[in-house]
Amino acid sequence: MNWRNIIKETMSYKGISAADIERQTNISKGLLSNYFAGRTNMSTSNIEQILDILNINLPFHKKNIPEERYEENDFNHFLIDIQEREVLNDTQKGVIRQTLAKGYNSLTDKQKKVIYGIVEPYYVEECKFCMDRIEWYDMLNAYEQDEYCTYCYEKWQKLKNEIRKTKF
């Protein structure tokens, strides 16, 4: 698979139209083609910055989100939180509305890809300290707290503050 197809595939997960995919692919072509052809030495951070500007996540960065997680009770609250925090396009807003009204199982495969594209950047499977599964109600907190659940993050902050107060 060439880099152009990779970009198209990953952008389709985000619910971006074919015309926008083509436009952004052409923009990225000049920036990335030399790198993918091995004609330039771009740093990884430069590539990540370009991809971030274009709002592209390459497939090897994808997280495996078990489909049954979308059926959990607090998933809808997570989607509401995302709506309040994110600037979403009309397609994404419509798919979220349908998910909230009729449930995840009412979505087509294409709509499920849109939901995945919304959820994937924020998805944290488990707390990296206690290893407990992150529930949807705590997902955005875990994302913002470096993949710690709220309990562990608060304990860690308290410990750091106590260490700062201690004089050696």
Side-chain angles (χ1 to χ4, degrees):
M1 178 179 283
N2 66 31
W3 67 270
R4 186 178 183 147
N5 290 337
I6 291 171
I7 292 170
K8 283 185 176 184
E9 179 183 326
T10 56
M11 292 175 77
S12 68
Y13 277 105
K14 296 193 171 284
I16 299 172
S17 72
D20 286 339
I21 291 170
E22 190 64 32
R23 184 177 56 79
Q24 290 193 16
T25 300
N26 289 334
I27 291 170
S28 66
K29 183 177 181 181
L31 300 171
L32 299 176
S33 64
N34 287 332
Y35 171 77
F36 285 116
R39 292 188 295 258
T40 186
N41 292 327
M42 292 176 75
S43 71
T44 303
S45 64
N46 286 347
I47 295 166
E48 289 174 352
Q49 288 173 350
I50 292 167
L51 297 176
D52 187 49
I53 289 167
L54 297 174
N55 197 23
I56 298 169
N57 293 316
L58 292 178
F60 51 81
H61 291 298
K62 289 184 181 176
K63 299 173 186 166
N64 183 21
I65 305 172
E67 192 148 330
E68 61 270 8
R69 292 279 336 246
Y70 297 115
E71 289 297 323
E72 294 173 8
N73 289 334
D74 53 349
F75 179 64
N76 284 355
H77 296 290
F78 172 78
L79 289 178
I80 292 168
D81 288 345
I82 289 290
Q83 278 184 310
E84 292 171 357
R85 292 179 179 213
E86 281 295 312
V87 177
L88 302 170
N89 65 38
D90 291 338
T91 301
Q92 292 168 324
K93 289 175 188 176
V95 173
I96 287 177
R97 271 193 305 273
Q98 180 175 337
T99 304
L100 294 174
K102 298 180 182 178
Y104 179 77
N105 284 332
S106 72
L107 302 177
T108 65
D109 287 343
K110 186 175 180 181
Q111 290 170 321
K112 287 179 180 180
K113 287 179 181 180
V114 172
I115 287 292
Y116 176 85
I118 295 167
V119 171
E120 188 269 340
Y122 303 101
Y123 186 76
V124 178
E125 181 66 30
E126 60 187 22
C127 173
K128 68 181 184 183
F129 183 74
C130 70
M131 307 303 281
D132 283 347
R133 184 175 93 161
I134 302 293
E135 300 299 331
W136 289 112
Y137 66 83
D138 202 20
M139 193 70 64
L140 290 175
N141 292 330
Y143 169 77
E144 293 169 351
Q145 297 167 170
D146 198 27
E147 298 187 5
Y148 291 102
C149 67
T150 299
Y151 178 80
C152 290
Y153 182 79
E154 288 173 358
K155 290 291 187 186
W156 175 242
Q157 293 303 313
K158 184 178 178 181
L159 179 63
K160 283 186 356 185
N161 289 335
E162 288 175 12
I163 290 170
R164 284 185 192 131
K165 292 178 187 176
T166 304
K167 294 183 181 180
F168 293 98

